[in-house]
Amino acid sequence: MNIMFVCTGNTCRSPMAAAIFNRRMQEIDRVDLHGESAGLGAMEGQPVSENAVLACKEIGLDISGHTAHRLRGADITHCDLFVVMEDVHAKVLTGAGIPSKQVYVLDGGVEDPYGKDLDTFRACRDEITEKLKGFEQYLLQEALLQA
């Protein structure tokens, strides 16, 4: 199952979320579940935020090679589920024709840390990590139902 983590610029939240998610799926030996990331308004090729790199490095994840990717039609056709950071992202995706059952908003949303200090990125990283626990439960139940 391919899961696309979506935010606005694809330089902060969604790359962190995809990296955290993929490590967790490796830990529980679910190689069938893979996360990628994209942004609705991404400037293609822009480097990931330095503070996102530092916040992830502190928990043993290297996202330094990530560059921003704008969500495109090909992404939509190969992804099974879209995990978004805000309700507005869900509205854009469903407005573009993605069925609402394929869009999951992280519980309560995750505020954009773009342009903020490292402590804000740490808080964002930790919030994503916690909210991914709820998503993991949802996802594993769905995956089991589809198996």
Side-chain angles (χ1 to χ4, degrees), residues 11 18 29 37 39 65 68 84 91 112 114 127 139:
T11 59
D29 199 28
S37 71
V84 299
K91 289 177 185 173
D112 193 352
Y114 183 76
E127 181 181 7
L139 180 61

Side-chain angles (χ1 to χ4, degrees), residues 7-12 14-15 37-50 52-53 63-70 72 112 114-115 121:
C7 67
T8 304
N10 193 226
T11 59
C12 303
S14 59
S37 71
L40 295 177
M43 293 176 55
E44 199 75 35
Q46 183 178 6
V48 69
S49 166
E50 181 179 340
V53 171
I63 63 169
S64 62
H66 175 80
T67 57
H69 171 71
R70 182 181 295 250
R72 301 190 189 292
D112 193 352
Y114 183 76
F121 274 80

Side-chain angles (χ1 to χ4, degrees), residues 6 22 107 120 127:
V6 179
N22 286 332
D107 185 35
T120 304
E127 181 181 7

